[in-house]
Amino acid sequence: MNGPEIHVEFAPDLALFVARGPRRTLVTDGVSSLGHVVESAGVPLTEVGSLWVDGREVPTSYVASAGDSVEVRPVGRPQRVPGAPLRFLLDVHLGTLARRLRLLGVDTAYESTDLGDPALAALSAAEQRVLLSRDRGLLRRRELWAGAYVYSTRPEDQLKDVLDRFRPELRPWTRCTACNGLLKEATKDEVADQLHGGTQRSYDVFAQCRECGRAYWKGAHHEQLVAIVERALAEFAG
């Protein structure tokens, strides 16, 4: 590439994407958009809040000129996603995060089998869901409706980051953690075929998924789930 040189400064929040430091001199081809140049440097556009050239905001379609000083700013928080109800699609590596979002009542699509990048991006567009992933290549696909990079490998930190970034409405205990369907109250007789031994004798309050039929009750792990819900509500509700 032998074109105009531009000077680019990436915000500290984007430093992990940029291998050679936050301040760079880049040689462009003179025809590619600034958005393409930023992505080529390693930063998915899903993580870019705005682009500024010599003190004025420009669109991602802007074509840089020689000597431009570019500032790449991160997405503001909370991030608003216009055009559809806020709901998510998670890639195959984020199963625990998917279950925790569903526990909090957040509409979260997830498949335990790998659909492949093209299918995930197309599903994001078809259902207007924000795709959450740690795969930078997936987040760069043009057919993607909206997306966000998941910065941590720890489910606790992943959940906190997503809730802080998007501030979805929390409605705990309303969704099936297995399939994302809505729950309804159920009698013991309605879910009797899923109860065994001590469960049949010890519990009387149940819920059941309207979609897959899975039964729920306050079993051995309930206190751990309550702790997840209470932390989320204390920090992000309202």
Side-chain angles (χ1 to χ4, degrees):
M1 188 178 293
N2 186 21
E5 284 191 354
I6 63 173
H7 309 287
V8 184
E9 181 172 358
F10 296 92
D13 290 353
L14 303 175
L16 72 94
F17 300 108
V18 187
R20 290 184 288 169
R23 295 182 179 181
R24 303 271 296 279
T25 297
L26 298 178
V27 179
T28 70
D29 60 10
V31 295
S32 295
S33 70
L34 186 55
H36 176 78
V37 172
V38 168
E39 280 196 323
S40 297
V43 182
L45 288 183
T46 60
E47 306 313 295
V48 175
S50 59
L51 298 171
W52 294 73
V53 174
D54 297 325
R56 62 186 177 91
E57 187 173 1
V58 300
T60 56
S61 59
Y62 174 84
V63 177
S65 301
D68 277 352
S69 292
V70 178
E71 182 184 357
V72 184
R73 297 183 182 180
V75 171
R77 298 191 177 210
Q79 181 180 353
R80 303 303 179 193
V81 182
L86 180 60
R87 49 191 182 178
F88 297 99
L89 169 64
L90 276 61
D91 75 14
V92 69
H93 304 291
L94 299 175
T96 300
L97 176 60
R99 290 188 292 273
R100 293 188 179 190
L101 286 169
R102 290 170 175 175
L103 175 67
L104 295 171
V106 179
D107 189 341
T108 306
Y110 168 79
E111 294 289 342
S112 59
T113 54
D114 191 353
L115 299 179
D117 289 2
L120 278 173
L123 185 59
S124 165
E127 298 188 0
Q128 293 192 322
R129 291 179 177 273
V130 179
L131 177 62
L132 303 181
S133 178
R134 286 181 52 78
D135 183 340
R136 303 179 197 183
L138 174 55
L139 293 175
R140 291 177 61 177
R141 296 194 70 90
R142 294 299 175 221
E143 63 270 38
L144 190 67
W145 180 70
Y149 184 76
V150 176
Y151 286 80
S152 177
T153 58
R154 300 179 66 249
E156 295 82 2
D157 295 334
Q158 291 174 346
L159 180 63
K160 185 174 181 178
D161 183 47
V162 171
L163 296 182
D164 177 67
R165 177 166 175 171
F166 293 100
R167 296 291 175 129
E169 180 183 1
L170 304 184
R171 299 180 61 203
W173 318 110
T174 62
R175 287 190 178 272
C176 176
T177 56
C179 82
N180 196 44
L182 293 173
L183 302 182
K184 64 180 181 69
E185 293 182 1
T187 66
K188 183 179 289 189
D189 288 341
E190 289 175 318
V191 298
D193 60 333
Q194 299 183 54
L195 308 180
H196 306 283
T199 303
Q200 175 76 33
R201 295 188 300 271
S202 303
Y203 300 96
D204 295 300
V205 178
F206 300 92
Q208 187 174 30
C209 177
R210 297 176 186 271
E211 298 295 328
C212 72
R214 178 171 176 169
Y216 290 87
W217 58 90
K218 296 179 181 179
H221 301 293
H222 185 68
E223 289 186 3
Q224 298 174 27
L225 301 180
V226 168
I228 293 172
V229 169
E230 288 183 345
R231 283 196 298 269
L233 291 176
E235 191 163 357
F236 300 106

